[in-house]
Amino acid sequence: MQQQLNTYSIYILLVLTILLSACGNLQQDIELELPEYEPEISVEAYLQAGQPYFLTLVKSQPYFDDIRVEYLSGATVTVSHSQGVDTLQEFNIDISDPTLGLLADTALLNTFSGIFGEQLVFYGSFQPVPTLYNEDFNLKVETLDGEQLTATTKILPVVPIDSLVQQFNDQQEAFVLTFFTDDETTTNFYRRVFEFQRLQVDSMDNGTVDSSFVTRVDQDFITDDIVFNGQPFAFGTDFQFEVGDTIFSTLYHITEDYFDFITTRDAAVAAALSPFGQPAVLSSNINGGKGIFTGISFVRETYVIQE
């Protein structure tokens, strides 16, 4: 019996050896012929009542190319509304220009200068966006090559914050509730941003004390009003705040197009960072291209944690 088992074991090993050897012969190099990539024009513009226009226009790039921003110059860009037509001008600003700090994080731009280049190219106007809530704004872009892109959006009215309420736990840690009231007559979409500023004191090696205010983003997310449609609602935080912390609570009222854009953008980023992620299609409201043209409105309340 033992001899039969040994014979059987040897037979199995021989079969496995033959199979493994055969598998080794299955290795074959395959050359993939990828289709020629057709660049697309990407638009990103956010309209805020009373603020200047600001629009970026770039071309997309093939996946395997070096990462860099390819700006699109020479386009004719107009935004029409019930009060007329505003024509946006092309601006070229050096990254080293100190006035750029009014528009963007210059430290971040300098860090990625190899991607953004030495100059930023955008379209804007010193004419402020008119305060026209719930009315159409129509974008038209015509490139030097004759390509046309269009989009339509609205600026939604501000949803006010009713109040900010703090509460302490047994460890004297505070949390904050931001109360507001949703409009039951419409489906609404929100972006919630919550930041806080705290005095940070550090002991230096030379025996001195260095103190500075540090601002941190604690929350940044989007949501719809399906759960609380037409009801008073509150966004909360964790128990993590101390007496003297300064709270900045911001509530954006955003369009459904922008909500879909952010949702799919985040899904695409997550898929790109994971080998098991499912490909995501970026939602866009740009006809003839990709991107987002949308109005934003927000209210920001400041609150200091009290004893």
Side-chain angles (χ1 to χ4, degrees):
M1 182 65 178
Q2 182 66 35
Q3 184 177 3
Q4 290 179 343
L5 289 175
N6 291 336
T7 303
Y8 182 74
S9 300
I10 294 173
Y11 173 76
I12 293 296
L13 288 174
L14 288 173
V15 171
L16 289 175
T17 302
I18 294 172
L19 289 175
L20 290 174
S21 299
C23 289
N25 295 329
L26 292 178
Q27 182 177 348
Q28 184 178 0
D29 294 331
I30 299 176
E31 293 185 6
L32 294 177
E33 293 186 7
L34 299 176
E36 185 176 351
Y37 179 75
E38 293 292 337
E40 288 186 289
I41 299 175
S42 178
V43 177
E44 195 164 0
Y46 304 95
L47 306 181
Q48 185 181 343
Q51 298 298 315
Y53 288 95
F54 186 88
L55 178 145
T56 58
L57 196 61
V58 300
K59 276 191 174 182
S60 62
Q61 295 178 275
Y63 181 82
F64 294 105
D65 279 12
D66 293 335
I67 300 176
R68 59 184 175 82
V69 176
E70 184 179 348
Y71 301 104
L72 198 62
S73 297
T76 301
V77 181
T78 60
V79 178
S80 60
H81 43 77
S82 63
Q83 292 185 359
V85 179
D86 294 323
T87 300
L88 277 58
Q89 304 174 29
E90 181 178 329
F91 291 89
N92 296 262
I93 299 183
D94 292 338
I95 286 185
S96 59
D97 191 328
T99 60
L100 186 59
L102 301 174
L103 300 173
D105 185 338
T106 53
L108 182 63
L109 291 177
N110 281 305
T111 300
F112 295 100
S113 59
I115 297 175
F116 292 106
E118 298 300 323
Q119 281 192 330
L120 292 186
V121 180
F122 65 92
Y123 295 82
S125 172
F126 295 109
Q127 177 72 25
V129 177
T131 305
L132 300 171
Y133 293 124
N134 288 323
E135 293 190 20
D136 284 347
F137 286 80
N138 302 295
L139 172 69
K140 182 178 180 180
V141 177
E142 185 168 354
T143 71
L144 289 175
D145 297 332
E147 294 184 77
Q148 290 194 358
L149 299 86
T150 60
T152 299
T153 193
K154 300 179 188 292
I155 302 177
L156 302 178
V158 171
V159 175
I161 292 175
D162 297 331
S163 63
L164 295 177
V165 178
Q166 69 174 51
Q167 184 172 332
F168 285 94
N169 61 14
D170 295 337
Q171 287 74 43
Q172 290 304 298
E173 298 168 321
F175 84 104
V176 178
L177 293 172
T178 301
F179 286 91
F180 68 98
T181 303
D182 180 68
D183 182 1
E184 65 180 350
T185 63
T186 59
T187 300
N188 294 295
F189 301 86
Y190 299 99
R191 179 185 175 194
R192 152 74 160 172
V193 178
F194 190 85
E195 304 164 277
F196 70 96
Q197 187 180 78
R198 175 176 296 168
L199 180 63
Q200 182 171 299
V201 179
D202 297 315
S203 298
M204 311 300 290
D205 293 338
N206 59 7
T208 61
V209 175
D210 179 51
S211 61
S212 59
F213 286 97
V214 178
T215 301
R216 303 172 186 170
V217 177
D218 186 58
Q219 295 177 351
D220 188 348
F221 62 86
I222 58 174
T223 185
D224 55 35
D225 65 352
I226 292 178
V227 174
F228 53 87
N229 183 39
Q231 302 296 321
F233 191 74
F235 290 126
T237 68
D238 295 331
F239 283 97
Q240 59 174 309
F241 304 112
E242 305 170 356
V243 173
D245 285 349
T246 301
I247 304 302
F248 305 98
S249 185
T250 308
L251 182 65
Y252 290 83
H253 192 193
I254 63 176
T255 64
E256 184 174 3
D257 284 341
Y258 187 36
F259 178 87
D260 293 338
F261 175 78
I262 295 177
T263 301
T264 54
R265 180 203 63 189
D266 291 349
V269 171
L273 296 176
S274 171
F276 307 105
Q278 295 295 318
V281 178
L282 186 67
S283 178
S284 168
N285 69 344
I286 306 297
N287 299 313
K290 295 291 186 183
I292 186 68
F293 173 66
T294 188
I296 60 171
S297 58
F298 68 90
V299 60
R300 177 177 290 120
E301 295 288 345
T302 304
Y303 180 85
V304 179
I305 301 295
Q306 306 292 329
E307 293 185 359

